[in-house]
Amino acid sequence: MVPGRGLIHRVGVRTLGTAFRMAALKWKLDIEPHFKYLQPYFQIMPQQQNNKETLGVIGFPFSKGQPRNGTEHGPNVLREAGIITSLQSLGVNVIDHGDIEIEVVLRDEPMKNVRNPRTVAAANKKLSDAVAKLVKMNQSVLALGGDHCMAIGSIHGHAQVEPNLVVVWVDAHADVNTPLTSVSGNIHGMPLSFLLKELEEFVPKVPGFEWCKPCLSVRDLVYIGLRDVDPAERLIIEKFGIHAYSMQEVDKYGIKEVVERALNQVDPSGVRPIHVSFDVDAMDPTLTPATGTPVSGGLSLRESFYLAEEISNTGRLSVLDIAEVNPLLSTEDKRKLTVINTTDVSTKFYGYRRQGNAPRDYELPKP
């Protein structure tokens, strides 16, 4: 390891390299013949900041990845709660691109026990194309779900443009069952098995998914918030060494240490685009009761805020999924609570700070 490289990385290696050259020009020194000796200090890329000035919002009104109706209303209730206006009030340039048009495939027979395979595949293909299009346009993406099968399309589309991405999966569940290990047959519990390269040999051909080629490595995935993991999923996590922080680790180390470790493990250089796939059941069901598979003992509101704030601080959040808001599964009060807390956490990913936000271009008035 080159001495001092960590310090140089923190101050920005490319900037430092440029500074050397500028100083040389000022003092009329010819350092280029000697610059090769300094080059090892500048080989690490600098910490990138998100240069995507526009946030594109896509709705994914879909519920066929699981058995309960209601998640198809998720995008609408989040918009009605003011998620877009809240982001705009922060100075974020938001473009709402509307919802993906969903088409239910007729006679969508199960593939063994996999339910609605063609419908799920077709909807996620559209989402993949939409996400890829916006990322190519240099927009960040906020994808409003919809059940968590949406991650198939959003991560796949993101990876087509930014194959160097890393995924932070915030969820009570691992969602890495394969079609052969799933007991329920619901694809919202399988999305990662369709995306992980290392699982390709364990996933059978599922009708409709011919377009979905694995695009993510296990080393580029980290879980936060796990507390309901199936035996086969636990085996997969251990077999492939997937970074995983359950609520036990959150309790043991605290959310600060967990977030820091998680980001360092998937991206020690601190330069890669981040995809966050956030299932609202990661939070404790006292906070988000209007969801299909609640599990007690989840993230607190403060822990969720901190996680979102720290990822925002990296400047590298590229795509955010918000999954599994289901307004049909609870009372009106609990639905409102779920939507309000989901909206509050979502805004933290885009710069809302609990210590306050000063308006851009605001000048103090003088008497």
Side-chain angles (χ1 to χ4, degrees):
M1 182 173 179
V2 179
R5 179 177 284 187
L7 173 62
I8 290 172
H9 177 68
R10 286 194 294 275
V11 300
V13 292
R14 182 179 291 169
T15 301
L16 196 56
T18 302
F20 270 102
R21 284 193 165 101
M22 290 180 67
L25 287 172
K26 178 178 179 180
W27 298 103
K28 300 181 180 180
L29 300 175
D30 183 14
I31 67 167
E32 291 304 323
H34 310 287
F35 198 76
K36 62 183 179 180
Y37 299 109
L38 299 173
Q39 201 67 25
Y41 291 92
F42 308 131
Q43 285 176 351
I44 301 176
M45 292 293 289
Q47 181 143 352
Q48 292 179 348
Q49 295 300 308
N50 191 345
N51 61 355
K52 299 172 181 177
E53 297 181 355
T54 299
L55 174 64
V57 177
I58 304 174
F60 187 67
F62 194 76
S63 63
K64 297 299 182 181
Q66 47 84 58
R68 298 178 177 88
N69 292 330
T71 53
E72 70 272 20
H73 300 298
N76 187 48
V77 296
L78 289 169
R79 288 188 179 101
E80 288 180 346
I83 192 168
I84 291 176
T85 54
S86 294
L87 291 167
Q88 290 172 331
S89 70
L90 297 173
V92 180
N93 180 29
V94 183
I95 299 177
D96 189 351
H97 297 277
D99 290 346
I100 300 294
E101 187 175 340
I102 303 298
E103 297 177 6
V104 176
V105 177
L106 300 177
R107 296 182 181 179
D108 192 1
E109 299 297 326
M111 195 288 292
K112 295 186 178 180
N113 74 328
V114 178
R115 304 181 186 202
N116 309 313
R118 299 164 190 83
T119 300
V120 171
N124 274 282
K125 177 62 166 66
K126 288 186 175 183
L127 181 58
S128 174
D129 292 343
V131 169
K133 179 180 178 180
L134 295 186
V135 176
K136 284 180 183 177
M137 294 167 60
N138 203 36
Q139 294 186 20
S140 299
V141 178
L142 171 59
L144 304 175
D147 70 64
H148 214 171
C149 80
M150 69 181 294
I152 299 172
S154 64
I155 294 175
H156 181 274
H158 190 183
Q160 303 315 297
V161 186
E162 295 183 326
N164 196 38
L165 64 83
V166 297
V167 173
V168 180
W169 192 275
V170 188
D171 200 330
H173 309 89
D175 291 350
V176 73
N177 270 303
T178 75
L180 302 181
T181 67
S182 173
V183 175
S184 69
N186 299 320
I187 298 180
H188 79 155
M190 310 180 204
L192 284 166
S193 72
F194 289 96
L195 298 166
L196 289 172
K197 298 173 185 177
E198 291 83 354
L199 288 183
E200 188 170 12
E201 64 179 299
F202 301 97
V203 177
K205 303 299 181 185
V206 178
F209 280 89
E210 294 79 11
W211 60 272
C212 185
K213 305 302 180 186
C215 57
L216 183 70
S217 173
V218 292
R219 65 178 178 272
D220 301 326
L221 166 67
V222 62
Y223 289 110
I224 296 177
L226 297 179
R227 57 192 184 279
D228 185 11
V229 179
D230 293 341
E233 294 179 308
R234 188 67 234 174
L235 186 150
I236 288 169
I237 290 170
E238 293 179 359
K239 175 180 176 66
F240 294 102
I242 301 173
H243 306 300
Y245 293 92
S246 71
M247 288 306 301
Q248 183 176 359
E249 283 75 41
V250 173
D251 290 341
K252 183 176 182 179
Y253 301 116
I255 192 65
K256 176 183 181 296
E257 183 71 18
V258 164
V259 173
E260 184 175 321
R261 289 188 184 192
L263 294 177
N264 284 339
Q265 284 175 320
V266 293
D267 184 18
S269 61
V271 300
R272 300 168 68 181
I274 298 172
H275 187 120
V276 175
S277 205
F278 190 95
D279 188 321
V280 299
D281 72 24
M283 298 168 68
D284 194 81
T286 57
L287 301 169
T288 52
T291 191
T293 51
V295 186
S296 61
L299 294 170
S300 69
L301 200 57
R302 288 172 62 182
E303 289 167 336
S304 302
F305 284 168
Y306 182 84
L307 183 154
E309 289 163 345
E310 287 301 295
I311 290 177
S312 175
N313 287 341
T314 69
R316 302 192 311 278
L317 177 61
S318 183
V319 178
L320 171 65
D321 308 328
I322 300 294
E324 299 285 353
V325 172
N326 191 330
L328 300 187
L329 291 184
S330 61
T331 63
E332 180 67 13
D333 287 345
K334 291 181 177 180
R335 179 191 73 80
K336 288 181 179 178
L337 178 66
T338 300
V339 172
I340 288 171
N341 286 334
T342 300
T343 300
D344 282 350
V345 172
S346 299
T347 60
K348 304 298 186 293
F349 280 105
Y350 295 102
Y352 184 92
R353 302 184 302 170
R354 283 177 284 175
Q355 63 264 47
N357 293 72
R360 294 183 181 181
D361 303 322
Y362 181 81
E363 295 183 4
L364 290 176
K366 297 179 179 179

